[in-house]
Amino acid sequence: MIQKETFLRVVDNSGVKFVKCLQVAKSSNSSDGKIGDILVVSVKSMQKKRNISKIKRGDIFYAILIRTKNKIIKMDSQWLHFFENAVILTNKNLKPVANRIIGPVLRLLRSTKTIKLISMSSGFL
């Protein structure tokens, strides 16, 4: 459950470490975000070795939520959760800013229009 003012970890190679959620843009429930929802985020911290990056602190991006700390119950009554809330930065057309995703991505994202993100990831759950 992601709300406004939530800090999220970025798990792509764009050079951004943390972002802050400004608004849950597209979701089934307007007050909180679940996996696969689109968020409007602001960049809060960058990696130190990426000083030449086009992305600056305070820039506003769209992001797709791919991991949450909240439990996810699957169809076969199994559940799983992650240790962090994680997103992937995208532009206005929902094209990824980076070209690699670090860590697994849920197969739940196949039903949305984010097939490109699934092919960039290293594993599925």
Side-chain angles (χ1 to χ4, degrees):
M1 307 289 190
I2 304 301
Q3 301 173 348
K4 288 184 180 180
E5 306 292 322
T6 304
F7 276 84
L8 307 158
R9 180 178 294 274
V10 178
V11 291
D12 56 15
N13 63 345
S14 61
V16 179
K17 275 194 205 178
F18 292 101
V19 294
K20 184 178 184 180
C21 178
L22 300 177
Q23 180 182 3
V24 179
K26 297 179 184 175
S27 70
S28 57
N29 188 0
S30 62
S31 63
D32 59 349
K34 296 178 177 57
I35 290 183
D37 289 344
I38 298 168
L39 311 172
V40 179
V41 296
S42 173
V43 176
K44 287 299 171 186
S45 68
M46 304 282 297
Q47 293 177 356
K48 295 200 176 200
K49 60 184 176 182
R50 296 271 184 163
N51 293 334
I52 308 170
S53 178
K54 295 178 183 177
I55 301 172
K56 304 287 186 226
R57 187 176 182 273
D59 287 350
I60 295 176
F61 286 97
Y62 284 94
I64 297 176
L65 187 62
I66 61 167
R67 294 183 212 147
T68 59
K69 288 184 180 181
N70 195 20
K71 289 182 182 177
I72 303 154
I73 300 173
K74 293 184 172 183
M75 295 294 284
D76 55 351
S77 68
Q78 293 179 348
W79 60 270
L80 63 101
H81 67 93
F82 296 98
F83 293 113
E84 62 187 1
N85 298 320
V87 295
I88 299 169
L89 293 180
T90 60
N91 59 11
K92 290 183 181 180
N93 300 328
L94 298 182
K95 304 275 183 183
V97 173
N99 56 7
R100 192 175 346 141
I101 297 173
I102 301 162
V105 174
L106 290 177
R107 290 185 192 267
L108 178 73
L109 292 175
R110 277 192 177 175
S111 62
T112 62
K113 296 181 180 179
T114 57
I115 298 297
K116 174 76 173 167
L117 299 177
I118 292 174
S119 65
M120 290 171 33
S121 69
S122 60
F124 300 110
L125 287 180

